[in-house]
Amino acid sequence: MMQPRLVPPICVALVAFASGCAPASPRVAAPRPAAVDHDQDHDHDHGHGHEHEHEAPKSFAAALGTLRALGAELAEKMASGAGAEADGAVHEIGHLLEEARGFAKQEGLDAAAAAGLDELEECFGKVDEAFHAADEKVDPKQVLESVKDRLEAAFQKLAEVK
């Protein structure tokens, strides 16, 4: 089974780490090139051995909070050298971004939230790409640090969506 690219999840994790925990948010779909086909059944584990440890959000705001928390966890895992666990967190963020986008649509916030969610997807996607890069010189921790401010700005923008 092919794994979808999850760019936004990485961005969310970085922002969450930079800004601390916030209320959980709904999952959002991955960026268009890395979009997940929601019509197909897919395994959320993607072979990385991670499990969803967080309670599933029930709203857009809840999903955003969970995204921030996962971002913080991602940064902590990367700082402690837990690469495999950090990669799993990035993928979990990707799934949560999908859910956040779904909640935004259900709540009539999809247009207002689109730019912020796209930014999270792009940033976290860069981190995900770094984990899977063939080039050993690409350091996911440095990539996360490089998008930290963008993640924080996206989370702040999304917090204003009502």
Side-chain angles (χ1 to χ4, degrees), residues 9 11 15 25 35 41 54 60 63 75 93 95 117 128 132 153 158 162:
C11 293
V15 173
S25 311
D41 292 332
H54 298 274
F60 179 72
I93 289 168
H95 295 300
L117 292 173
D128 185 47
H132 303 287
L158 289 167
K162 305 233 184 305

Side-chain angles (χ1 to χ4, degrees), residues 4-9 12 25-31 34-38 40 42-44 46 57 60 63 67 91-105 117 121:
R5 290 184 65 174
L6 300 176
V7 173
V12 174
S25 311
R27 294 184 187 176
V28 179
V36 174
D37 183 357
H38 297 286
Q40 295 181 4
H42 61 279
D43 178 11
H44 283 262
H46 296 292
F60 179 72
L67 282 169
H91 288 273
E92 188 169 349
I93 289 168
H95 295 300
L96 187 56
L97 282 165
E98 293 173 23
E99 289 184 26
R101 200 171 292 276
F103 283 121
K105 185 172 182 174
L117 292 173
E121 289 176 356

Side-chain angles (χ1 to χ4, degrees), residues 18-136:
S19 60
C21 293
S25 311
R27 294 184 187 176
V28 179
R32 305 312 164 241
V36 174
D37 183 357
H38 297 286
D39 295 329
Q40 295 181 4
D41 292 332
H42 61 279
D43 178 11
H44 283 262
D45 182 39
H46 296 292
H48 290 282
H50 67 277
E51 295 181 19
H52 298 270
E53 300 172 2
H54 298 274
E55 184 176 325
K58 295 182 177 23
S59 70
F60 179 72
L64 287 179
T66 301
L67 282 169
R68 276 194 177 269
L70 285 174
E73 287 180 26
L74 172 64
E76 291 171 11
K77 288 175 181 179
M78 291 177 83
S80 69
E85 290 178 24
D87 184 32
V90 169
H91 288 273
E92 188 169 349
I93 289 168
H95 295 300
L96 187 56
L97 282 165
E98 293 173 23
E99 289 184 26
R101 200 171 292 276
F103 283 121
K105 185 172 182 174
Q106 287 176 358
E107 296 172 26
L109 304 172
D110 48 331
L117 292 173
D118 289 348
E119 181 72 353
L120 292 179
E121 289 176 356
E122 182 178 335
C123 292
F124 284 115
K126 288 178 183 279
V127 177
D128 185 47
E129 289 174 7
F131 274 111
H132 303 287
D135 185 353
E136 293 180 10

